[in-house]
Amino acid sequence: MALLACLLVLLGFAFQGTRPLWSRDEGRYTGNALQMIASGDYLVPAYNADRTNFNKPPMTAWLIAGSMRTFGQNTWAVRTPYALAFIFTALLLVGMGRTLIPDKPWLPGLIYACTLYPFLTANIVSTDVFLTLFEALAGFGFVRAFLDQDATHPRRWRVLMWLGFGLAFLTKGPPGLMPLLGMVPFVARRDGWRGLGRLFTPLGLLVFLVTGLGWYAAVVLTHPGLLEHYLRYEVYDRIFTSVHDRHGQWYGWIKVYVPALMLGTLPWWWSLLRGLRRTLAPSRLRTLWRVPGPRLFLLLWFVLPLCVFILARSRLPLYLLPLFLPLSLLLAYVLRTRIDLRRRSQRVLLVVWVLILIGLKGGVSLYEHPKIDNRLRTRELLGITRDMHFDSLVFVRNSDSESDVDETTPWGMRMYLNRPLYGVAWRTEGSQQRACELAKQHPDALFVTGRYMPNGAFQAGLKSVCPALKPMPAGVWRKQKLWRFR
């Protein structure tokens, strides 16, 4: 266990903060955390003083803000919670392994840590790494309460399970309850209605309500229309419509999820395919259903949420990350007789693979600088404006959608500039007046108009509401015009 813990720390923290923030999500969550620190308001996620961000619950921003308050405003601080989440997720799998694979309890944690997809995603600023951690906590509580015959005080483990679900719900909402899709039919098949009563224990549900729904209740009561936003835009639209433009075609799941599973399960994917092929054989499935045991639960935990992800119209590769929990446990069942680290050849292969993983992470961190690199963007902007003082940055997009501004504004630049950022959708009602107010509140602001803004539209729009303001060209940055006011 000590060697596994050292390996987890190495994999979790190697080059963890070396890569700059990349937009979109990395900048948004970091920007929300910076605004919390600047304003002292930790209840309402926001990009700046007048633009809230209720698209996701605040758990991710809370963890990043707490880390930055402790370690400073830098990418190492931003990604430290992700390294810790990666480590503790693997350790929770070890805890489940003590019940499910007592002869090699460390194996599920080792498999998870050395699988390509969980390893790489632990370096991405998103909600899904924390979601996976809290679902692992819920899964650990379930395994101890329902699958460990020697467990004492099973009621406490059930409460722990619901605490995990509450934290998961506070991280990403309804997707945090996905493991229940496997738990409910398994318990119903094995223990009947009485078993479901133990699963939905009143004390556990109370813990979930307080932990998972307390924040939602607070903000819904103080922000009219927010409940409709969550139920329609964040739940109904993501499942049944393509409004989020995330591979909503009928074949979108093939483009997104098949490569993620095939490449993401390296170096185990061949063993996984062989194990699933044997498990999914009709005779084997009938046996698993007649004698419900841990493997049936793990199969249900993986297959049923995967079916939901396939059917939902909003699809991104990171959505699959929590499914690597049951995958790691299933792989441990498949590989437990084949993996023996007392053999020198296997230890050498493990060391080589770990070096490959760290080398890949380090190579991307040090040498990959795409256009969405917010540090690169900031350096280019400061190079153009080196003789110019500005106290804030305002991005004006030729759009009629506020969500488009949320998606396209490089919020991560805030950390490198140490200045607030604002976004304006130019073709929405009142946008010209809002730009005018920002210019008055921040006389030294630098405005950036997108490349698709028609010539003269910015000047004419401001003149109609703020005739005293005179926008002056201040240069061009990435084919976007820069403006100051006099």
Side-chain angles (χ1 to χ4, degrees), residues 135-422:
E135 288 191 16
L137 180 63
F140 173 67
F142 177 86
V143 167
R144 292 302 304 272
F146 288 91
L147 297 175
D148 189 345
Q149 297 179 352
D150 299 324
T152 57
H153 307 294
R155 181 177 299 178
R156 296 179 184 178
W157 296 115
R158 293 195 293 270
V159 171
L160 180 66
M161 178 192 73
W162 284 108
L163 174 64
F165 280 133
L167 295 172
F169 205 87
L170 192 55
T171 302
K172 204 173 180 178
L177 301 178
M178 283 290 187
L180 281 172
L181 294 178
M183 295 174 180
V184 170
F186 173 75
V187 172
R189 175 68 184 91
R190 195 189 69 173
D191 302 329
W193 292 107
R194 184 171 298 179
L196 289 179
R198 292 196 300 272
L199 179 66
F200 293 94
T201 174
L203 180 58
L205 292 175
L206 177 62
V207 169
F208 171 77
L209 290 174
V210 173
T211 306
L213 298 183
W215 174 84
Y216 288 92
V219 295
V220 164
L221 291 174
T222 55
H223 293 76
L226 190 55
L227 181 60
E228 181 186 2
H229 168 79
Y230 279 128
L231 294 179
R232 185 176 66 181
Y233 185 75
E234 292 296 332
V235 178
Y236 179 85
D237 285 348
R238 286 185 184 276
I239 297 174
F240 299 107
T241 76
S242 299
V243 68
H244 291 270
D245 193 25
R246 292 179 173 177
H247 308 283
Q249 309 91 339
W250 68 266
Y251 55 85
W253 67 274
I254 300 175
K255 293 169 55 179
V256 175
Y257 296 147
V258 171
L261 287 172
M262 292 297 293
L263 297 176
T265 53
L266 287 172
W268 324 102
W269 70 270
W270 182 247
S271 298
L272 177 65
L273 286 178
R274 293 176 59 188
L276 286 177
R277 187 170 63 247
R278 289 197 299 267
T279 302
L280 295 177
S283 59
R284 179 61 174 164
L285 286 176
R286 286 193 294 269
T287 301
L288 289 175
W289 188 253
R290 283 197 304 268
V291 187
R295 293 196 192 191
L296 176 63
F297 162 62
L298 296 176
L299 193 62
L300 292 171
W301 184 4
F302 173 72
V303 171
L304 295 182
L306 178 61
C307 291
V308 173
F309 290 137
I310 289 173
L311 294 174
R313 301 289 296 279
S314 178
R315 305 179 181 108
L316 288 176
L318 275 171
Y319 293 172
L320 294 185
L321 181 59
L323 298 188
F324 281 77
L325 298 171
L327 273 183
S328 298
L329 290 161
L330 285 168
L331 273 168
Y333 272 111
V334 173
L335 297 172
R336 64 178 175 178
T337 60
R338 296 167 53 190
I339 291 184
D340 184 358
L341 294 183
R342 292 173 297 183
R343 296 166 59 182
R344 182 179 178 183
S345 59
Q346 293 196 8
R347 293 199 303 270
V348 170
L349 288 174
L350 177 61
V351 169
V352 170
W353 179 246
V354 168
L355 292 176
I356 291 173
L357 290 176
I358 294 175
L360 179 61
K361 185 178 177 182
V364 171
S365 299
L366 294 170
Y367 301 110
E368 185 68 20
H369 302 290
K371 290 186 177 181
I372 58 173
D373 183 332
N374 285 296
R375 185 175 64 185
L376 178 62
R377 281 173 164 159
T378 303
R379 288 175 176 173
E380 292 175 355
L381 178 64
L382 293 178
I384 295 170
T385 61
R386 63 173 63 91
D387 299 323
M388 190 185 309
H389 170 73
F390 61 95
D391 63 359
S392 56
L393 197 59
V394 182
F395 288 88
V396 182
R397 303 300 188 195
N398 184 37
S399 172
D400 59 1
S401 169
E402 292 291 343
S403 62
D404 181 54
V405 171
D406 287 349
E407 291 282 338
T408 59
T409 301
W411 303 107
M413 291 180 65
R414 177 171 182 169
M415 190 178 73
Y416 301 105
L417 288 170
N418 199 26
R419 300 171 176 90
L421 268 65
Y422 299 88

Side-chain angles (χ1 to χ4, degrees), residues 418-482:
N418 199 26
R419 300 171 176 90
L421 268 65
Y422 299 88
V424 177
W426 191 247
R427 291 189 282 114
T428 57
E429 183 179 357
S431 60
Q432 288 87 355
Q433 184 63 42
R434 183 162 177 262
C436 173
E437 292 171 357
L438 286 171
K440 291 179 178 179
Q441 294 170 9
H442 303 277
D444 292 327
L446 182 64
F447 279 66
V448 183
T449 56
R451 65 184 69 179
Y452 301 112
M453 179 74 72
N455 289 331
F458 181 61
Q459 303 94 308
L462 280 180
K463 185 177 181 181
S464 66
V465 293
C466 289
L469 290 178
K470 305 295 182 183
M472 301 293 295
V476 177
W477 168 63
R478 291 194 170 194
K479 299 182 181 181
Q480 301 173 102
K481 294 181 180 179
L482 305 178

Side-chain angles (χ1 to χ4, degrees), residues 70-108:
T70 304
F71 302 111
Q73 296 183 14
N74 55 73
T75 49
W76 278 95
V78 171
R79 292 200 175 94
T80 289
Y82 290 86
L84 294 174
F86 171 79
I87 292 169
F88 284 114
T89 299
L91 292 177
L92 284 168
L93 283 167
V94 172
M96 288 183 256
R98 291 184 183 278
T99 297
L100 303 179
I101 311 171
D103 55 326
K104 292 183 179 178
W106 47 267
L107 186 54

